[in-house]
Amino acid sequence: MKKIVSLVIFIAALVWTWNVIHTSQAVGFETHSGIQVKLAELITQTLAAKKPHAKDLSISRLWTETLSDNKVRAVFAYKFTDVAEDGESMEQVIEGEAVLYRDVSDQENVDKWVLQSVKTTNDIVIFTEGSTITPGADEVTTEAAPEATPAATATPTPAPTATPGH
């Protein structure tokens, strides 16, 4: 009896794994790759339009995941150096995510994906030059930011001792 039950369980597991491996995904690898390429182009074009002085664009993270048959989530992170008109430069890191949905396409074999929402989750600005502001002074001086400042170490102070009888 145990042999028959074991055989049935083994065959059921074999059939299940065969089906899992051979079923097609709702959103294929090529679609994910195409969405990632288009998002990279969109990021590049938007940055060039909104910040024409930006340089050194680097997309550090861009991946997509299927949420449903008609919905894909894309997560991205990129950084660039922005040069202000006065010559001061700063590095900006932007992280975010976008949700795309599949829309009806005019062509039969072409998927049309539309951005449903885009939101940034983290914006970090790193200044390459710092400003020194002193109280009571009318001038603000700009100087290069220090590389690293050593952390202050706390000096241990002895605990007060109690004397007997007090």
Side-chain angles (χ1 to χ4, degrees):
M1 184 68 174
K2 289 182 182 180
K3 289 182 180 182
I4 294 173
V5 173
S6 297
L7 179 65
V8 169
I9 291 173
F10 177 73
I11 291 174
L14 187 65
V15 168
W16 178 75
T17 56
W18 179 267
N19 286 333
V20 167
I21 292 172
H22 288 90
T23 55
S24 63
Q25 298 176 348
V27 180
F29 174 77
E30 294 83 12
T31 303
H32 283 283
S33 178
I35 289 173
Q36 291 170 8
V37 168
K38 290 294 185 183
L39 282 176
E41 290 173 1
L42 181 65
I43 289 170
T44 304
Q45 292 170 357
T46 304
L47 185 63
K50 291 191 175 193
K51 298 199 180 266
H53 299 291
K55 60 181 183 176
D56 301 331
L57 172 65
S58 171
I59 298 176
S60 56
R61 181 177 28 176
L62 180 57
W63 57 270
T64 54
E65 67 178 341
T66 304
L67 296 177
S68 69
D69 290 351
N70 294 320
K71 195 175 273 192
V72 171
R73 175 179 168 234
V75 177
F76 59 87
Y78 61 94
K79 67 179 179 178
F80 61 92
T81 303
D82 194 12
V83 181
E85 293 176 5
D86 62 354
E88 183 179 348
S89 65
M90 66 181 150
E91 185 176 277
Q92 190 165 0
V93 179
I94 298 176
E95 298 176 353
E97 63 181 53
V99 175
L100 297 94
Y101 70 94
R102 189 187 324 233
D103 200 8
V104 178
S105 177
D106 297 338
Q107 299 175 356
E108 185 177 320
N109 295 333
V110 177
D111 284 340
K112 179 179 178 184
W113 291 90
V114 179
L115 279 171
Q116 183 176 15
S117 66
V118 177
K119 67 177 180 177
T120 56
T121 56
N122 195 8
D123 293 341
I124 301 169
V125 177
I126 302 166
F127 294 96
T128 55
E129 294 182 10
S131 298
T132 304
I133 302 173
T134 54
D138 291 338
E139 284 187 28
V140 175
T141 59
T142 303
E143 58 187 46
E147 289 297 317
T149 335
T153 56
T155 309
T157 55
T161 56
T163 56
H166 288 292

